[in-house]
Amino acid sequence: PRGARIGYIAQEAPAGTGTPFDTVLAADVERTALMTESETATDPGRLADIHERLIAIDAHSAPSRAARILVGLGFDEDAQHRALDSFSGGWKMRVALAALLFSQPDVLLLDEPSNHLDLEAVLWLEDFLKTYPATILLVSHERDFLNNVVDHILHLSHGKLTLYPGGFDSF
């Protein structure tokens, strides 16, 4: 649909002195902009509109949602507040995945999302994706992951697309 938000992970991992927690929170661009504007807005009508929208997007629960996603991907509380530059490339990619999941796009594009994840984080990601309320287009070579997450396989062969119901075993 027109206006649908498409989310994907950029090839470049997040870096700098910011923290994983702040990076994930900033991924919700609308919330971040509204929070910033609420600090400087002086028009009472505009302030009312901002706060009404913040309530509508459940902005007050954002910090706990961000922390929950980061914990699911293996970041304890201390790690959530360390500088991004203190992490390896694989852990930075986990931050990028957390930010993407937190931003809740209408179409979620995932290319090998279980890369850089340990078994516990993969299992958490499977559960998260099973309940994701929008469309997911997922590329993976991990059969168990596909069996546990997808409900259709779209197969491209010789320039022809064929849609199969079920997971990888059904395909």
Side-chain angles (χ1 to χ4, degrees):
R2 190 174 301 248
R5 293 177 309 117
I6 298 174
Y8 62 92
I9 296 178
Q11 297 241 339
E12 212 170 286
T17 58
T19 67
F21 184 77
D22 293 336
T23 301
V24 171
L25 276 179
D28 186 340
V29 178
E30 180 184 17
R31 178 190 170 277
T32 301
L34 288 169
M35 297 291 282
T36 300
E37 186 180 355
S38 74
E39 294 172 6
T40 59
T42 56
D43 175 46
R46 179 61 188 147
L47 272 171
D49 291 343
I50 291 169
H51 287 288
E52 187 175 301
R53 183 63 186 153
L54 286 169
I55 290 167
I57 64 173
D58 201 19
H60 71 282
S61 72
S64 65
R65 283 190 308 112
R68 211 170 28 252
I69 291 170
L70 284 164
V71 166
L73 293 174
F75 293 88
D76 63 22
E77 189 172 345
D78 288 339
Q80 291 180 33
H81 300 287
R82 284 185 13 217
L84 287 168
D85 284 345
S86 71
F87 293 99
S88 69
W91 281 93
K92 289 178 183 178
M93 291 309 292
R94 287 183 189 218
V95 173
L97 177 59
L100 172 63
L101 298 175
F102 179 78
S103 71
Q104 299 177 318
D106 302 311
V107 179
L108 184 58
L109 305 177
L110 297 172
D111 183 9
E112 299 290 350
S114 57
N115 283 359
H116 311 293
L117 301 181
D118 56 22
L119 179 59
E120 188 175 318
V122 170
L123 295 173
W124 177 88
L125 181 60
E126 286 179 2
D127 286 339
F128 185 91
L129 294 178
K130 282 186 227 180
T131 61
Y132 192 75
T135 301
I136 302 170
L137 181 59
L138 165 69
V139 176
S140 179
H141 291 91
E142 294 187 34
R143 293 175 180 191
D144 288 338
F145 188 77
L146 290 170
N147 279 326
N148 293 332
V149 173
V150 306
D151 57 16
H152 286 80
I153 300 282
L154 185 62
H155 183 244
L156 173 63
S157 180
H158 305 295
K160 181 181 176 193
L161 286 172
T162 308
L163 184 65
Y164 296 90
F168 187 82
D169 287 345
S170 298
F171 163 72

